[in-house]
Amino acid sequence: MLRAGDTAVFNQQAKNQIREIHMVTVEFKTKLKNGKEMEAYRWDPGTIFIKKGQKVKLYITGINGDEHPFYIEGTKINGTVKKGQETVVPLQFEKAGTYRLICELHSDMKHNGPMIADIVVN
């Protein structure tokens, strides 16, 4: 609880400390009036923000879907997130921009996607 004069401080980081970001795989499902089922897979959160040069460990936990093979556009980073497991992805970007984390299985609506998260580097 804060008192008068107190300052709330969030996400303090010492220099050279590796920042941790946690993400999960999520599935949304619905049944239409005609009985047809629809589903979509997503990364949550769908957007993360990183500072240029910042060292980050991205922890991705598989909640929904058996597996999600992925890659990060514009990099050589790839891997697979499996249900019930945590995948750790080390990140450090030297160039500002938006890098997309893309699930190869859920690339478009036909395949219950697109399952894409934005990694915004500034």
Side-chain angles (χ1 to χ4, degrees):
M1 179 180 289
L2 293 177
R3 294 174 298 202
D6 286 348
T7 302
V9 180
F10 299 95
N11 297 326
Q12 283 185 333
Q13 292 184 40
K15 284 190 173 189
N16 299 323
Q17 184 178 358
I18 298 175
R19 181 177 168 206
E20 294 183 357
I21 299 174
H22 295 267
M23 180 179 277
V24 296
T25 61
V26 181
E27 176 187 22
F28 294 97
K29 212 177 212 181
T30 189
K31 193 175 218 176
L32 302 176
K33 289 181 181 180
N34 66 6
K36 181 182 176 186
E37 287 191 358
M38 290 181 68
E39 61 185 26
Y41 286 92
R42 297 284 182 258
W43 305 106
D44 186 38
T47 304
I48 59 174
F49 297 89
I50 299 174
K51 293 182 182 184
K52 191 167 61 169
Q54 183 178 38
K55 291 181 180 181
V56 173
K57 279 190 179 178
L58 177 61
Y59 294 86
I60 309 173
T61 302
I63 304 295
N64 295 106
D66 290 330
E67 67 177 25
H68 300 278
F70 69 87
Y71 65 95
I72 297 177
E73 210 171 44
T75 73
K76 294 180 181 181
I77 299 170
N78 61 51
T80 300
V81 177
K82 294 183 179 181
K83 187 173 189 169
Q85 296 180 14
E86 183 175 71
T87 300
V88 181
V89 184
L91 301 174
Q92 185 174 17
F93 297 92
E94 299 303 328
K95 186 177 175 186
T98 300
Y99 300 81
R100 298 187 319 157
L101 170 64
I102 301 172
C103 175
E104 295 181 71
L105 287 181
H106 306 293
S107 58
D108 55 32
M109 276 191 76
K110 182 178 175 184
H111 297 98
N112 304 322
M115 188 175 180
I116 298 173
D118 290 325
I119 301 169
V120 180
V121 179
N122 53 31

